């Protein structure tokens, strides 16, 4: 995972479980360093290194620029694939227009990501028992590894449905002979991992040194999402309530909605009070074209920016000329245009050009609307070693508090729970957007569905939401 503990990753060059993110094909070939595995996990530091290797997979960016968020955005009704043409990052194109085949699509990279993380988690869980180290710290490492294994399995079961279920290490010769498990079996294991992990996860972590590591709040949030996916509405609401606390206030874990929605997208505002689980990136890895997947920078920042961007006035936005992927659809633009979150969500290049403020090249499936949340800027581009395009430092929220508010509201409405609380959760999100309490809505599924679209646009949630609501086929 691209995180504050990145500095340790440079040392992870031995042991099968410590392969860098550049090496993603362990399911097909014997991993490099297999013969060294017996010499590793000799002490606490090596156990920590193994744990960092599991976290590193959370921020997986494939060599073909495939990321989970990028792929899921392309699949949704809020974005087209975009780019330079119909064959530019084919994985996005075929997911966007639903012409996937076994040979084309993001599924290969997303499968590799999930099982790479599970493989590494299983190795540390198998090895750590005999490591001479502080016992309380060992319990924490085990809890984090179980949280991460559950996290990877949750993505895999939602994307692929029937998947192999590994809870221990398996040799490369046996990997292709494992029967697929049912979703019910996978969900049972996910719930087991998370409930076992909860007590030994820390309530909070020091952001400066451990920002991005799993906490009890992240455990409850993920378990709540898992229950909701299975339509276990009561348990889902209970887990999410543990994270959310009083709507609009600070929760038991210190989570609180930021006062201003725009502050969420300040590149320097990492691991803030609204962040529950965050994918961290850095501009100090000197990522270069020789190994795109090795960079610790955020590739979405260059991908979603307007192609051939040129400022024409002094007050023009300082966008870096990007690759015009994931242009916003007119449907999303029309839905959010008069919402206060619009200016922080959508970069309206069509308007800038018509007003003589800037120009840009029209990429594939251009709409004139781009994803402002992640568009790279001159103000935070990298000027050091490596390639600028591969070294943007903006973090990405995997789980944040407003998301959890709306998920709990959904669980309450769909499960016949406390509608007063559901309304308070929904309207706390709206109060933050509008900076007043004059725009309240009743807690209905239609209102929650719309609010999730406006609040979380471009953050990779929309397609999975539509699938959960059984609306994807029509939308």
């Amino acid at each position: 995972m691209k995180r504050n503990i990145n500095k340790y990753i440079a040392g992870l060059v031995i042991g099968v479980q410590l392969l860098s993110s550049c090496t993603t094909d362990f399911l097909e070939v014997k991993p490099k360093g297999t013969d060294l595995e017996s010499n590793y996990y000799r002490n606490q530091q090596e156990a920590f290194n193994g744990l960092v290797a599991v976290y590193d997979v959370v921020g997986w960016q494939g060599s073909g620029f495939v990321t989970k968020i990028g792929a899921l955005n392309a699949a949704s009704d809020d974005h087209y694939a975009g780019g330079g043409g119909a064959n530019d990052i084919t994985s996005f194109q075929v997911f966007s227009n639903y012409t996937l085949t076994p040979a084309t699509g993001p599924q290969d990279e997303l499968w590799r990501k999930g099982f790479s993380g599970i493989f590494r988690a299983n190795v540390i869980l198998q090895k750590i028992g005999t490591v001479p180290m502080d016992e309380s710290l060992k319990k924490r490492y085990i809890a984090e590894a179980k949280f991460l294994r559950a996290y990877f399995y949750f993505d895999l079961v939602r994307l692929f449905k029937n998947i192999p279920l590994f809870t221990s290490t398996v040799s490369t010769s046996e990997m292709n002979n494992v029967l697929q498990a049912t979703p019910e079996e996978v969900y049972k294991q996910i719930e087991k991992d998370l409930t076992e992990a909860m007590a030994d996860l820390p309530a909070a972590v020091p952001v400066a040194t451990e920002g991005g590591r799993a906490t009890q709040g992240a455990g409850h949030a993920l378990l709540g999402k898992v229950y909701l996916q299975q339509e276990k509405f009561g348990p889902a609401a209970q887990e999410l309530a543990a994270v959310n606390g009083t709507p609009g206030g600070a929760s038991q874990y210190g989570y609180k909605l930021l006062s201003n929605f725009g502050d969420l997208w300040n590149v320097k505002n990492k691991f803030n009070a609204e962040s529950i689980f965050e994918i961290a990136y850095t501009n100090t890895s000197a990522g270069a074209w020789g190994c795109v997947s090795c960079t610790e920078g955020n590739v979405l920042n260059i991908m979603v920016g307007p192609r051939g961007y040129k400022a024409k006035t002094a007050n023009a936005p300082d966008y870096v000329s990007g690759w015009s992927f994931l242009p916003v659809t007119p449907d999303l633009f029309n839905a959010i245009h008069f919402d206060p979150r619009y200016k922080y969500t959508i970069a309206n290049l069509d308007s800038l050009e018509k007003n003589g403020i800037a120009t840009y090249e029209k990429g594939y499936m251009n709409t004139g609307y781009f994803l402002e949340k992640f568009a790279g800027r001159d103000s935070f581009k990298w000027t050091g070693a490596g390639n600028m395009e591969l070294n943007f430092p903006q973090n990405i929220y995997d789980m944040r508090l407003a998301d959890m508010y709306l998920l709990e509201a959904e669980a309450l409405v769909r499960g016949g729970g406390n509608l007063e609380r559901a309304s308070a959760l929904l309207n706390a999100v709206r109060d933050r957007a509008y900076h007043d309490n004059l725009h309240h809505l009743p807690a209905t599924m239609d209102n929650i569905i719309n609010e999730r679209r406006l609040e979380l646009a471009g953050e990779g949630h929309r397609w999975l939401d539509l699938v959960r609501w059984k609306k994807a086929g029509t939308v």
Side-chain angles (χ1 to χ4, degrees), residues 257-262 264 274 336 338-345 400 402 425-440 451 454-456:
L257 294 179
L258 298 189
S259 299
N260 297 300
F261 180 79
L264 287 163
E274 190 163 335
I336 200 172
F338 297 106
D339 187 275
R341 289 161 287 200
Y342 159 75
K343 65 180 179 179
Y344 303 109
T345 303
R400 63 181 176 91
L425 290 160
L426 168 65
N427 289 310
V429 175
R430 293 183 60 78
D431 288 350
R432 190 264 297 277
Y434 283 90
H435 292 287
D436 61 39
N437 59 2
L438 304 177
H439 295 81
H440 284 190
E451 199 65 28
L454 302 179
E455 175 72 21
L456 303 168

Side-chain angles (χ1 to χ4, degrees), residues 9 12-13 18-24 56 60 120 291 293-294:
I9 294 174
L12 307 185
V13 294
L18 305 179
L19 297 173
S20 78
S21 56
C22 302
T23 306
T24 61
D56 193 49
W60 184 282
R120 298 182 190 192
C291 183
S293 59
C294 297

